[in-house]
């Protein structure tokens, strides 16, 4: 099962990524400046969406993975929030609402495999933007040196404890890069440990990303009907110039 189809992702995603927050202020600021409803595309378990709702922003979400959405619904219930998050594919969705801001955080756009899929998604975003609406998203800037790495087998990322259930996991990760197809495969392997430290279950969670270059994304934006955009090298408006930067895009029609 590729990407977030495996039901185990609903259980484990927040334990792996719940603390990742480098992007949070950027998306919250964008949402607070937006003059109307906000859509988070590929909202997952609500790492960003629930914070938007806590700020009483009229925020909606879509995601293709039911396990991720189930987890989001459970978290929203516990927080006493109403989450309007529905199962939909970013390449082809139709919502009655038009949005002042559409966001695609945490590199989710890179899960799209082909130019046709990328273009279909961007066109769909454009159709759902209100007049003067903005699209904000981020993904890594591909840098040859960084992509030359990988393929070194499994590395122990960290040990994780689920405070809710008491379950302990060892999280392993391997990264491989297919330059011909610009494809990065990240294999997460999660071993559940008994009290004595023996492995009692193993879950394999492969993720696939397709990296995109700056000039390529500019062409895609143009082809999808966007006419203005800015790209930064981080979440604080840094210029895009160095290695290991995140490309942060803001586009409008
Ligand atoms: C890295 S997670 C990001 C989740 C959340 N936005 C966050 O920032 O924590 C990527 C998400 O993209 C979703 N996704 C992948 N392909 C998708 C598609 N074609 N349409 C909608 N969601 C998709 C996955 O189900 C997953 O929840």
């Amino acid at each position: 099962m590729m990407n977030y189809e495996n039901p185990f992702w609903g259980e484990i995603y927040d334990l792996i990524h719940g603390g990742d927050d480098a992007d949070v202020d950027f998306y919250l600021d964008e949402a607070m400046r937006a003059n109307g409803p906000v859509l988070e595309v590929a909202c997952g378990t609500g790492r960003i969406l629930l914070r938007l709702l806590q700020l009483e922003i009229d925020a909606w979400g879509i995601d293709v993975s039911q396990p991720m959405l189930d987890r989001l619904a459970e978290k929203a219930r516990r927080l006493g929030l109403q989450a309007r998050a529905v199962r939909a594919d970013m390449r082809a969705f139709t919502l009655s609402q038009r949005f002042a801001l559409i966001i695609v955080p945490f590199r989710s756009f890179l899960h799209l495999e082909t130019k046709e899929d990328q273009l279909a998604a961007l066109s769909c975003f454009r159709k759902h933007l209100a007049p003067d609406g903005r699209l904000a998203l981020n993904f890594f800037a591909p840098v040859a040196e960084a992509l030359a790495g990988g393929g070194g087998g499994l590395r122990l990322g960290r040990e994780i404890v689920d405070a809710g259930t008491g379950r302990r996991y060892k999280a392993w990760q391997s990264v491989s890069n297919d330059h011909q197809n610009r494809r990065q495969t990240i294999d997460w392997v999660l071993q559940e440990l008994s009290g004595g430290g023996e492995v009692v279950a193993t879950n394999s969670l492969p993720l696939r990303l397709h990296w995109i270059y700056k000039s390529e994304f500019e062409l895609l934006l143009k082809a999808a009907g966007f006419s203005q955009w800015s790209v930064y090298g981080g979440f604080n408006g840094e210029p895009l110039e160095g290695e290991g930067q995140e490309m942060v895009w803001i586009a409008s029609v």
Side-chain angles (χ1 to χ4, degrees), residues 159-162 166-170 191-197:
E159 286 209 23
I160 302 171
V161 181
D162 184 336
R167 290 197 185 117
R168 287 170 56 216
Y169 301 93
K170 253 186 188 173
Q191 295 176 320
E192 188 180 338
L193 306 178
S194 69

Side-chain angles (χ1 to χ4, degrees), residues 140-198:
F140 67 87
V143 174
E145 289 83 344
L147 292 170
L154 282 177
R155 284 185 299 118
L156 181 60
R158 52 189 134 141
E159 286 209 23
I160 302 171
V161 181
D162 184 336
T165 62
R167 290 197 185 117
R168 287 170 56 216
Y169 301 93
K170 253 186 188 173
W172 304 78
Q173 196 197 54
S174 80
V175 178
S176 56
N177 296 309
D178 167 357
H179 289 262
Q180 202 59 36
N181 297 300
R182 298 178 180 180
R183 184 184 293 159
Q184 181 168 80
T185 304
I186 303 173
D187 283 307
W188 282 101
V189 176
L190 267 291
Q191 295 176 320
E192 188 180 338
L193 306 178
S194 69
E198 296 93 33

Side-chain angles (χ1 to χ4, degrees), residues 93 95 97-99 102 120-130 224 226 253:
F93 62 93
L95 299 172
Q97 186 67 51
R98 293 296 171 267
F99 297 92
I102 296 181
L122 286 173
S123 304
C124 218
F125 303 162
R126 180 183 49 74
K127 284 185 203 139
H128 283 82
L129 281 177
F226 288 85
V253 177

Side-chain angles (χ1 to χ4, degrees), residues 1 3 5-12 16 154 167-173 186-193 199-207:
M1 271 181 286
N3 294 337
E5 290 163 10
N6 188 326
F8 188 60
W9 267 118
E11 209 173 301
I12 208 74
I16 296 178
L154 282 177
R167 290 197 185 117
R168 287 170 56 216
Y169 301 93
K170 253 186 188 173
W172 304 78
Q173 196 197 54
I186 303 173
D187 283 307
W188 282 101
V189 176
L190 267 291
Q191 295 176 320
E192 188 180 338
L193 306 178
V199 177
V200 292
T202 301
N203 268 285
S204 181
L205 303 165
L207 295 177

Side-chain angles (χ1 to χ4, degrees), residues 9-46:
W9 267 118
E11 209 173 301
I12 208 74
Y13 182 85
D14 289 337
L15 296 178
I16 296 178
H17 291 301
D20 292 344
D21 57 7
D23 57 349
V24 173
D25 286 348
F26 167 77
Y27 285 112
L28 297 191
D29 287 350
E30 284 296 318
M32 284 187 293
R33 277 200 283 141
N35 201 11
V38 176
L39 173 66
E40 181 179 358
V41 169
C43 58
T45 62

